Amino acid sequence: MILRQFTLSILILSAGIRSGAQTLHRSEALATALQNNSDLAIARNTTLQAAAQYHQTDAAFLPQLGVTYTAYTSNNPLNAFAFKLQQQNITQNDFNPALLNSPDRTSNFTTQATIQQPILNLDAFYQRKAARTAIEIAELQQERLRDYIRFRTAGAYLQLQLAYEVVKVLQQAFRTSDSVYAFTKARYQQGFLQKSDLLNAEVHLRSVQSQLANAQSAIQDQSDNLSLLMRTAPGKVYEVDTLTPESIVTEENIPESRPDFRAMHQAIKAQELIVKSTGLGLVPRLNGFGNMQLNDRTATGFSNGSYLLGLQLSWNFFQGNAVHSQVNKQQLQKALIELQLQQMKEESEKELQTTKRRIADAAFQIAQTKTAVEQATEALQIIHNRYKQGLAGSTDVLMAQTQLFQQQLSYRQAIMMLNMSIAYCTFLTAN
């Protein structure tokens, strides 16, 4: 009675999952993930930061402007005389020695506008080019991340497809096991079978029940994984396309234009620009400057203007070997990036060859397990008929059914492995 109730609950649960499931095609999952994925949102933010960093280098070419308003008051002889001089308010009486030595408290209100104009700073020019390259690096890394999100989403979708296939296999196994149990129980009650046969059938049925319950939970788990990648609310159950073998990719090679390779090349270029910028720090710099002042004896006055314009040529030609040492360090960093790029290419090539072998192995396993499923199905049918005729034991039927179940799972796992390997091959070749 308990087993019959469980059979009904399994069927109701399966129907509930199907009725509440939201159909999701693989292309829709990929499109949603590429639009909403959190990692991609972070990568886009990083690209924007690189662009903001680049625009900070505008200071190497654009002027810097500023305005200040300052109030002074002093009875210092030098300051008091200077204030009157700046205010263009000097009279003959101000040269009286008594007033020069002991002036009254004098106030000055200065409004000053300043400008600094970079003219020739070669090191800043190369720093700007390096910052521009950093934007390109961030964009290429974001492009490669999109490839990775495609692969991860395809993998999660395949896992969900496999979870549904496992449920199908287990439901079929459950129905067969339940039929065997019912027949065994009836024969036992008629006195034709021993209790051990009934217990074996019941244990096997309970085992399939547990596996089926776990498989049902796996559908929800894999749906949540897919929701996380698509950045949608968890708890949804997605119904997916049937798991079928995909077309095997043709002979592919890893292109030099793969986004992460190009990003590394750009990083090498950026490092070269940084080396040049550091070396050019020893080259003379030319900058212009100027200011305009308004000095008045009253806080609300803005008269008595004057200006100052100039050019500054500066040359820090020796900094205690600091520049030389920094250049050596940056050149070593460039060499390190070049080594990392070479290592990345070698590892990717090794992964590609391994993946191609996995594709071939999976294709072979699909053909083998497909034949094995057909043979196991026929064997189970024969043994089941013999069991009904009393020519085979319950153990024979249960072993045949277990063998069929295992081969059916192996067949579907081989399909999933083939499709996953094809997806990984696509990721490696940036196809």
Side-chain angles (χ1 to χ4, degrees):
M1 183 64 180
I2 295 177
L3 291 177
R4 288 295 177 183
Q5 291 177 347
F6 187 86
T7 302
L8 181 60
S9 65
I10 285 292
L11 294 176
I12 293 175
L13 176 61
S14 177
I17 289 180
R18 286 287 180 174
S19 62
Q22 175 182 341
T23 302
L24 181 69
H25 300 294
R26 181 168 169 174
S27 58
E28 295 172 345
L30 291 173
T32 305
L34 291 176
Q35 182 178 0
N36 300 332
N37 185 265
S38 299
D39 291 334
L40 282 174
I42 293 172
R44 285 190 288 267
N45 182 274
T46 302
T47 303
L48 293 176
Q49 289 185 42
Q53 187 73 26
Y54 168 71
H55 287 298
Q56 287 183 9
T57 63
D58 292 346
F61 304 96
L62 299 179
Q64 298 182 23
L65 304 173
V67 176
T68 60
Y69 179 83
T70 309
Y72 301 94
T73 185
S74 176
N75 66 350
N76 180 279
L78 182 62
N79 290 336
F81 188 81
F83 290 164
K84 290 185 177 182
L85 190 63
Q86 289 176 318
Q87 295 166 6
Q88 302 175 13
N89 195 31
I90 295 293
T91 64
Q92 185 68 34
N93 190 46
D94 291 321
F95 290 95
N96 184 338
L99 292 177
L100 285 174
N101 291 324
S102 299
D104 296 332
R105 182 176 66 86
T106 305
S107 298
N108 186 49
F109 299 90
T110 301
T111 303
Q112 178 174 256
T114 61
I115 180 172
Q116 294 182 353
Q117 175 62 57
I119 298 176
L120 183 60
N121 297 280
L122 294 178
D123 57 339
F125 174 74
Y126 282 98
Q127 287 176 1
R128 180 177 174 83
K129 293 184 69 174
R132 182 66 185 87
T133 306
I135 299 177
E136 297 173 6
I137 293 172
E139 289 173 345
L140 288 168
Q141 290 175 337
Q142 181 178 332
E143 184 179 346
R144 186 56 178 162
L145 180 59
R146 288 173 65 86
D147 292 340
Y148 180 63
I149 296 301
R150 287 190 188 96
F151 169 67
R152 284 191 58 191
T153 305
Y157 193 87
L158 286 169
Q159 292 286 353
L160 183 55
Q161 284 181 314
L162 180 62
Y164 272 110
E165 293 298 323
V166 171
V167 168
K168 290 179 183 177
V169 171
L170 285 169
Q171 286 175 338
Q172 180 182 348
F174 181 81
R175 287 191 291 268
T176 303
S177 299
D178 186 56
S179 174
V180 171
Y181 172 76
F183 179 80
T184 303
K185 184 176 181 180
R187 299 283 286 179
Y188 168 73
Q189 291 174 346
Q190 295 171 4
F192 294 112
L193 294 176
Q194 299 180 359
K195 188 174 183 179
S196 60
D197 294 316
L198 178 62
L199 293 176
N200 284 335
E202 184 175 348
V203 168
H204 183 78
L205 180 59
R206 290 184 183 276
S207 175
V208 175
Q209 289 172 348
S210 298
Q211 295 178 64
L212 181 54
N214 292 334
Q216 298 283 10
S217 298
I219 290 177
Q220 181 66 71
D221 294 340
Q222 297 302 331
S223 293
D224 287 342
N225 290 338
L226 206 52
S227 295
L228 180 62
L229 286 167
M230 297 188 299
R231 203 178 179 184
T232 57
K236 295 181 181 178
V237 177
Y238 300 105
E239 187 170 345
V240 294
D241 301 327
T242 303
L243 181 64
T244 56
E246 296 180 9
S247 300
I248 298 178
V249 294
T250 58
E251 191 72 17
E252 293 281 357
N253 295 315
I254 296 178
E256 282 289 333
S257 59
R258 207 173 79 175
D260 53 341
F261 293 167
R262 290 161 56 199
M264 293 292 282
H265 282 296
Q266 290 299 101
I268 294 171
K269 177 182 176 181
Q271 198 64 31
E272 291 175 347
L273 294 170
I274 292 173
V275 171
K276 287 183 179 180
S277 173
T278 303
L280 289 171
L282 299 176
V283 174
R285 301 180 181 186
L286 181 62
N287 297 288
F289 62 90
N291 69 69
M292 179 179 179
Q293 288 189 1
L294 299 174
N295 295 277
D296 206 291
R297 70 180 71 183
T298 62
T300 58
F302 300 96
S303 59
N304 306 313
S306 61
Y307 66 86
L308 173 68
L309 299 175
L311 292 175
Q312 183 184 55
L313 181 65
S314 60
W315 187 12
N316 296 325
F317 55 86
F318 182 71
Q319 299 180 21
N321 284 333
V323 174
H324 178 72
S325 299
Q326 189 173 3
V327 167
N328 287 340
K329 177 183 177 182
Q330 291 167 348
Q331 287 175 336
L332 290 172
Q333 290 174 338
K334 173 194 168 187
L336 177 60
I337 297 174
E338 291 173 340
L339 290 173
Q340 290 173 337
L341 174 58
Q342 184 62 32
Q343 182 184 33
M344 184 185 299
K345 290 181 178 179
E346 292 172 355
E347 290 179 350
S348 296
E349 184 61 35
K350 188 268 291 181
E351 285 292 321
L352 180 60
Q353 298 306 320
T354 301
T355 304
K356 288 180 178 179
R357 289 192 293 271
R358 286 176 180 168
I359 291 175
D361 293 342
F364 177 76
Q365 187 176 356
I366 288 174
Q368 293 294 100
T369 53
K370 184 178 181 180
T371 302
V373 167
E374 295 172 354
Q375 294 173 342
T377 301
E378 184 178 359
L380 176 60
Q381 186 65 39
I382 294 172
I383 294 176
H384 194 257
N385 291 335
R386 293 183 63 192
Y387 177 62
K388 289 183 177 181
Q389 297 171 8
L391 301 177
S394 60
T395 303
D396 298 326
V397 177
L398 297 177
M399 288 180 61
Q401 198 236 335
T402 301
Q403 178 179 252
L404 174 60
F405 162 68
Q406 291 174 344
Q407 293 301 324
Q408 288 174 326
L409 283 185
S410 296
Y411 174 67
R412 287 160 174 79
Q413 288 170 347
I415 294 177
M416 196 275 288
M417 183 57 64
L418 173 68
N419 294 350
M420 181 70 80
S421 298
I422 291 174
Y424 189 49
C425 185
T426 301
F427 169 69
L428 290 173
T429 57
N431 188 352

